[in-house]
Amino acid sequence: MAGFFSTCAASDHYCLQLRSGSAQHELTRPNKYRRRSMIRCCSTAKGKARRDYYEVLGVATHSTPHEIKEAYRKLQKQHHPDIAGDKGHDYALLLNEAYEVLMRSSSRKADGFGKSRGGFGSGYTGDGCSSWNGPMRSQALFVDENKCIGCRECVHHAGETFAMDDVLGSARVQVQFGDADQQIQVAVESCPVNCIHWVGSQELPVLEFMTRPQPKEGHGVFGGGWERPKDVFAAARNFARKLERQEQQERSQGANGGGREDMEAETAAQAEARRHAGQELRWKSLLDIWNGLGDWRKSGTDR
Amino acid sequence: MAEQFYTVASDSETTGDDKAQQSFPDVAIGIDIGTSRCSVAIWNGHQVELLKNTRSQKGMRSYVMFKDDTLSAGVTGGATKEHAHEERDILSGSAIFNMKRLIGRMDTDEVVQASKTLPFLVQTLGIGVRPFIAALVNNMWRSTTPEEVLAIFLLELKALVEMHLKHPVRNAVLTIPVAFSRFQQTRIERACAMAGLHVLRLMPEPTAVALLYAQQQQQLMHDNMGSGIEKIALIFNIGAGYCDVAVSATAGGVSQIRALSGCTVGGEDILQNVMRHLLPNYDNLCDNAGQTTDRIKSMGLLRMATQDAIHKLASQESTEINADLGNGLKVCKLLSRAEFEQVNHVIFEKCERIIKQCLLDAKLTPEDINDVILVGGCSRIPKIRSLVLGLCKKEGSYGSIDDLEAAVSGAALEGAIASGVTDPSGSLDLLTIQVTPMNLGIRSDGDGFAAIIPRNTAVPARRDMLFTTSQDNQAEALVAVYEGEGKQAEENHLLGYFKITGIPPVPKGAVEISVCMDIDAGNVLRVFAGVVKPQGEATPPFIEVRMPTLDDGHGWCGQALAKMYGSKLDLAVLPKKLQP
């Protein structure tokens, strides 16, 4: 368990530097950026473009709000611009964003909102842990970390793309297409156990989520600890199916529930219609009174 | 470079007790400019030290006296004992005070309107320009501005600190009310610049108190190995001009502000209410237009008598007011506490409302609160104490904080932290995570207000939102930035505006314009805007604007913009849609 924590912290640092660098870049030359990168600096509310916020804060995916808070405070104390100076700005932005999203999702979990997903799929954000260099492509690289023997061949050939996880003793993809295509090809071929796979980029987030060790449910002294599925690909297929089923369920629930997400998705026309209806309702009572008054007056004069 | 030069200069003075200050000569000082009292504190290397003036006061009356050609502020208070300004002189019309209530406000503002009963001259036209303010010098009104008055005061304050430290100071952390708009903040910065001070941070008063609280909690933990559990504190600050609430979560020396809210009520309003109660035709008498020396004098006497009575009512059930106002006017009344509370019930209701609002924003219930901290001069009023404690369901308030010195001590701590001072004993191992007190957004969909950074967002913050054009082939769009709580743009403060030009000619709704707002730890707001879709060679570069861009007399600006360009250059909020 401790091992997993330190992994997060170690890989975290690298990622963050990369990201804060790109954020700076956007500030100085935003017009050169394609739409996808603009979304990166997009706020959290959209949810779909989430990064792996757990990694940003260096906490486990099943952390309690208390642990998240503690990690957030500890990191803020190092990187807040009050302490680290102006260079801490981007880092602190990222921390604030991660904290907000995680606290919101964990409080939602506590409210029983995402309980149906259970311990099995909790923490899945729909976003892979590797970042993309350049535009999204249909294919992506994935290292089957069960098979990987930690030979470092791939890191040697394409060091921008692959990184070594020294605690788990396996390689992983840090940046998709971080090196030239040729280098990547050499790296893939150099693998002695053929554990580097080309996968569809839709499957990638699920695969990358599944390959990270997940906490196992404990029953007293039995079970507990961390595990990772033996066959990642089969597990990912299973998981994707389950997710789909769940989404369908949620959708059918959402139709009669009407949560906050639905409010956000409301279009301008709908908002207008709602406002209109509200006004009509308000005026109606007044009109009724007015009409009533009119009737009364009329009856008064008739008499 | 300039800083280095002056480091050398201070090194040349090698007296013994300068040693501690030499190691970090550029520590920012903490200043609390209150509506009625100011104080200044420094981090002396081991702890926060409040400075005293020549009359050994820690809290100095905030006013500037205009006399012949000399100006003197409340810091020295007339230099020597025999020339000491008395309350009577301050209320004679030749001193300007309450500048914190007047600064950065337009003459349509109700606070400015209420200030017309003050002894000095406040003229308004009611059209949204800055009010005309003047002090009586040799029976002549001499004009001035709130910024100027504040700058004179700060200059004396700075001189006091420099005399004490024996080296020049440059940086300062100032406390401001939560209700201050960004425009008012720039006015404070302007006044500081006039006094030769660089503003390192402007921190809301209750958050300064929260930082002090965090330090005390940290100390407690060190002393008795207490548990590092999170503590929730509600800080209620009511001074002479403003009232603020903050809810903070404190653990491990980090005080994380959960919510802020504030309003412009304070002791000044209470005072005026009571004066009105004592003298039924008060408004006629102190109408600013027909001010004569006699009237000013009698109003001054009434003011002093009332102030005295309010102070007495804090400890007594009732008090008698006996004041001869001259011109055959006499006030003779027994004022009971119940009567006093009845007269001011509107103010107490306002306080109640912002506390409830703050708890709601922080998503906390009264049961979650560990400590209630009451600070500010008016927190001594029994009704306010019982009201706050009642709302938080607590028996007593947090005791180990001085209600008048807390804010300035917190500011001095923040000054030391933000200047990069570290303390080996760990008493500076602190941090405040601030939040934005008000919604920030732009005008869109006609007169609507689209909040881009909602209030109570942790700082530093960056948010963006997509907008689109409201007309076919619209080539330009106006981005008008507002701050406030209103649903309509016009209810909020206009901070600035700029145009996005060169939008590609496409049907309405087809363009995506991204407006991004960024607030850094120094609370500087930057707005970035530009076209993100369609992309191409023809799209113009992004625009970066530092807000607020407006200067004085902008009351009309928002309306003029809406009238001239409202429909032509309008933006519409792009409905949120699912991303691929």
Side-chain angles (χ1 to χ4, degrees):
Chain A
M1 188 149 158
F4 183 66
F5 276 126
S6 58
T7 324
C8 283
S11 59
D12 175 35
H13 194 63
Y14 175 69
C15 267
L16 281 172
Q17 273 181 340
L18 213 111
R19 278 172 185 151
S20 60
S22 76
Q24 194 65 51
H25 201 65
E26 269 161 25
L27 282 186
T28 47
R29 292 187 307 181
N31 56 325
K32 289 220 168 165
Y33 262 71
R34 299 204 187 285
R35 207 177 135 236
R36 169 146 175 91
S37 14
M38 280 316 291
I39 285 165
R40 268 221 218 144
C41 85
C42 257
S43 69
T44 55
K46 280 143 201 167
K48 287 279 174 184
R50 276 181 198 174
R51 292 181 208 114
D52 193 346
Y53 292 123
Y54 290 104
E55 207 170 296
V56 170
L57 289 181
V59 291
T61 49
H62 67 299
S63 302
T64 58
H66 182 72
E67 284 167 338
I68 296 174
K69 263 185 208 168
E70 215 153 72
Y72 169 73
R73 288 203 179 110
K74 212 181 239 169
L75 286 168
Q76 275 282 23
K77 244 185 168 176
Q78 286 168 26
H79 301 287
H80 192 276
D82 273 2
I83 289 160
D86 286 338
K87 64 180 187 294
H89 178 64
D90 288 308
Y91 205 123
L93 273 178
L94 193 64
L95 286 178
N96 278 341
E97 193 176 320
Y99 176 73
E100 193 182 334
V101 172
L102 293 191
M103 286 309 282
R104 200 196 297 150
S105 64
S106 62
S107 69
R108 221 164 28 173
K109 236 185 275 170
D111 292 347
F113 189 93
K115 257 207 178 124
S116 49
R117 201 173 279 170
F120 171 68
S122 58
Y124 176 68
T125 56
D127 201 34
C129 63
S130 59
S131 56
W132 283 78
N133 177 32
M136 273 281 249
R137 306 195 200 183
S138 59
Q139 291 250 300
L141 283 166
F142 173 70
V143 179
D144 186 353
E145 289 177 39
N146 277 331
K147 273 202 220 159
C148 180
I149 52 169
C151 66
R152 293 176 185 267
E153 276 294 318
C154 50
V155 183
H156 178 68
H157 287 295
E160 291 293 310
T161 310
F162 298 96
M164 199 61 199
D165 187 333
D166 285 317
V167 176
L168 294 173
S170 58
R172 69 163 56 142
V173 182
Q174 200 72 43
V175 183
Q176 298 287 352
F177 301 99
D179 298 88
D181 286 1
Q182 204 187 348
Q183 275 173 299
I184 290 172
Q185 202 54 44
V186 173
V188 172
E189 278 162 16
S190 71
C191 184
V193 288
N194 289 332
C195 69
I196 306 172
H197 300 269
W198 286 102
V199 296
S201 34
Q202 301 92 339
E203 305 161 30
L204 186 72
V206 182
L207 279 170
E208 282 184 346
F209 173 70
M210 293 310 294
T211 194
R212 251 182 307 158
Q214 293 294 315
K216 220 162 55 172
E217 216 176 319
H219 303 283
V221 289
F222 301 105
W226 297 80
E227 71 168 357
R228 138 201 299 168
K230 285 253 163 52
D231 184 355
V232 182
F233 292 96
R237 268 199 301 279
N238 244 334
F239 182 75
R241 247 202 320 268
K242 262 196 187 173
L243 266 186
E244 210 170 289
R245 215 176 305 146
Q246 201 134 39
E247 248 167 54
Q248 263 170 6
Q249 252 173 30
E250 262 167 35
R251 221 174 295 149
S252 56
Q253 275 172 9
N256 43 25
R260 209 179 140 232
E261 257 82 351
D262 299 33
M263 291 272 285
E264 276 177 2
E266 188 180 63
T267 65
Q270 278 169 331
E272 177 61 33
R274 193 160 50 83
R275 215 168 25 238
H276 200 74
Q279 255 167 15
E280 220 159 71
L281 273 176
R282 245 208 336 264
W283 282 107
K284 195 169 173 289
S285 60
L286 274 177
L287 272 176
D288 283 350
I289 293 168
W290 181 249
N291 289 342
L293 269 177
D295 289 347
W296 179 76
R297 271 210 327 242
K298 225 184 284 166
S299 63
T301 48
D302 284 351
R303 226 178 284 157
Chain B
M1 276 291 112
E3 289 154 50
Q4 266 177 4
F5 168 68
Y6 108 71
T7 313
V8 174
S10 86
D11 269 352
S12 66
E13 275 183 58
T14 39
T15 50
D17 58 34
D18 256 16
K19 205 134 197 180
Q21 288 140 18
Q22 267 171 29
S23 47
F24 26 83
D26 216 12
V27 177
I29 57 172
I31 301 176
D32 175 27
I33 15 160
T35 310
S36 85
R37 266 165 218 287
C38 288
S39 41
V40 59
I42 50 157
W43 174 259
N44 65 6
H46 325 282
Q47 62 186 26
V48 170
E49 182 185 347
L50 257 79
L51 300 189
K52 290 180 187 159
N53 68 1
T54 44
R55 296 191 290 170
S56 67
Q57 292 169 315
K58 281 180 180 172
M60 297 153 243
R61 185 90 169 82
S62 328
Y63 68 91
V64 168
M65 180 75 84
F66 289 70
K67 221 173 218 174
D68 300 324
D69 285 330
T70 56
L71 302 169
S72 57
V75 178
T76 47
T80 52
K81 219 165 199 170
E82 51 268 31
H83 293 119
H85 297 144
E86 283 175 31
E87 197 67 20
R88 201 182 309 132
D89 302 325
I90 298 168
L91 296 173
S92 68
S94 50
I96 306 270
F97 53 94
N98 275 11
M99 47 261 197
K100 193 165 151 197
R101 292 194 96 181
L102 291 166
I103 198 161
R105 287 190 192 277
M106 295 178 293
D107 62 358
T108 44
D109 203 310
E110 58 182 20
V111 176
V112 175
Q113 297 292 340
S115 300
K116 283 164 103 176
T117 55
L118 296 177
F120 53 90
L121 187 68
V122 180
Q123 262 184 16
T124 57
L125 293 168
I127 54 166
V129 290
R130 68 187 305 164
F132 177 82
I133 292 164
L136 196 61
V137 185
N138 292 337
N139 221 5
M140 245 172 53
W141 290 114
R142 185 186 290 173
S143 83
T144 182
T145 59
E147 290 87 349
E148 199 176 75
V149 174
L150 194 58
I152 295 164
F153 190 87
L154 285 169
L155 208 60
E156 273 200 13
L157 215 51
K158 190 180 162 206
L160 173 76
V161 178
E162 284 174 353
M163 200 177 71
H164 181 88
L165 292 180
K166 300 184 184 69
H167 69 72
V169 290
R170 216 175 73 84
N171 294 327
V173 173
L174 278 85
T175 58
I176 50 164
V178 174
F180 255 29
S181 71
R182 276 178 186 272
F183 178 69
Q184 286 178 299
Q185 292 175 18
T186 62
R187 295 296 97 179
I188 295 281
E189 276 166 10
R190 170 81 58 89
C192 285
M194 283 159 88
L197 283 171
H198 171 247
V199 178
L200 198 63
R201 294 275 189 277
L202 286 176
M203 65 188 320
E205 275 151 30
T207 68
V209 180
L211 187 63
L212 187 68
Y213 176 73
Q215 192 205 24
Q216 293 186 350
Q217 292 302 313
Q218 188 82 328
Q219 213 82 48
L220 273 179
M221 212 185 82
H222 280 305
D223 289 349
N224 55 14
M225 303 295 283
S227 56
I229 49 158
E230 182 179 80
K231 279 197 146 183
I232 309 278
L234 182 130
I235 298 145
F236 183 81
N237 171 35
I238 180 160
Y242 294 89
C243 166
D244 326 276
V245 195
V247 174
S248 81
T250 306
V254 179
S255 105
Q256 199 183 338
I257 307 299
R258 297 281 286 268
L260 281 177
S261 63
C263 64
T264 49
V265 299
E268 183 64 37
D269 299 285
I270 294 176
L271 188 67
Q272 288 198 9
N273 282 344
V274 176
M275 270 153 68
R276 226 166 248 137
H277 176 71
L278 292 175
L279 204 63
N281 60 343
Y282 168 79
D283 285 296
N284 288 338
L285 268 172
C286 61
D287 185 13
N288 230 294
Q291 259 174 342
T292 58
T293 327
D294 273 2
R295 275 188 184 173
I296 292 171
K297 201 173 164 193
S298 47
M299 280 307 115
L301 288 170
L302 178 63
R303 210 180 163 84
M304 285 194 295
T306 316
Q307 206 151 22
D308 199 40
I310 294 173
H311 288 169
K312 276 185 186 152
L313 278 179
S315 51
Q316 300 168 8
E317 275 303 320
S318 67
T319 180
E320 204 178 319
I321 298 160
N322 254 324
D324 183 5
L325 307 181
N327 293 342
L329 260 174
K330 262 190 186 153
V331 172
C332 204
K333 201 159 185 165
L334 193 75
L335 188 69
S336 72
R337 203 184 267 178
E339 211 173 339
F340 168 75
E341 283 163 12
Q342 178 55 33
V343 168
N344 288 305
H345 73 103
V346 181
I347 287 164
F348 301 138
E349 274 165 23
K350 269 191 188 168
C351 295
E352 202 173 322
R353 206 175 316 140
I354 62 167
I355 294 171
K356 282 182 178 163
Q357 178 67 44
C358 203
L359 278 174
L360 199 70
D361 285 348
K363 299 190 190 78
L364 292 170
T365 56
E367 285 77 22
D368 296 323
I369 297 170
N370 300 98
D371 284 311
V372 176
I373 305 171
L374 283 161
V375 287
C378 287
S379 66
R380 291 180 179 171
I381 294 174
K383 173 74 184 170
I384 288 183
R385 289 192 83 83
S386 62
L387 180 126
V388 180
L389 292 174
L391 276 175
C392 301
K393 298 185 184 156
K394 290 283 167 312
E395 293 294 307
S397 62
Y398 181 72
S400 38
I401 270 183
D402 185 292
D403 57 355
L404 295 179
E405 296 170 2
V408 72
S409 309
L413 279 178
E414 173 74 17
I417 296 162
S419 313
V421 180
T422 50
D423 188 60
S425 68
S427 54
L428 273 186
D429 191 17
L430 304 167
L431 176 68
T432 340
I433 300 169
Q434 301 275 2
V435 297
T436 55
M438 277 180 257
N439 293 330
L440 282 163
I442 67 166
R443 178 203 286 273
S444 74
D445 301 300
D447 194 33
F449 174 69
I452 295 177
I453 300 185
R455 70 159 183 263
N456 297 324
T457 305
V459 173
R462 184 188 295 154
R463 294 288 169 87
D464 70 356
M465 207 163 159
L466 291 175
F467 293 89
T468 188
T469 47
S470 64
Q471 317 237 321
D472 291 341
N473 299 329
Q474 186 177 335
E476 297 183 330
L478 186 75
V479 178
V481 181
Y482 285 84
E483 175 188 55
E485 304 303 314
K487 289 223 163 47
Q488 299 289 308
E490 273 312 308
E491 295 163 19
N492 299 326
H493 293 283
L494 180 65
L495 295 181
Y497 46 87
F498 58 95
K499 271 196 308 191
I500 301 171
T501 51
I503 300 169
V506 287
K508 67 177 176 188
V511 196
E512 277 180 16
I513 294 164
S514 164
V515 179
C516 177
M517 288 192 176
D518 179 292
I519 302 176
D520 68 14
N523 205 17
V524 176
L525 170 67
R526 284 189 177 79
V527 181
F528 306 89
V531 180
V532 287
K533 198 185 127 189
Q535 275 290 336
E537 290 305 305
T539 46
F542 262 57
I543 299 178
E544 177 190 333
V545 185
R546 197 185 146 156
M547 293 284 164
T549 57
L550 282 176
D551 215 325
D552 274 320
H554 58 282
W556 279 349
C557 208
Q559 286 156 23
L561 282 175
K563 207 169 146 197
M564 295 269 289
Y565 303 111
S567 58
K568 247 191 296 172
L569 304 185
D570 194 16
L571 280 171
V573 179
L574 199 66
K576 278 177 191 160
K577 56 182 179 191
L578 297 175
Q579 270 140 28

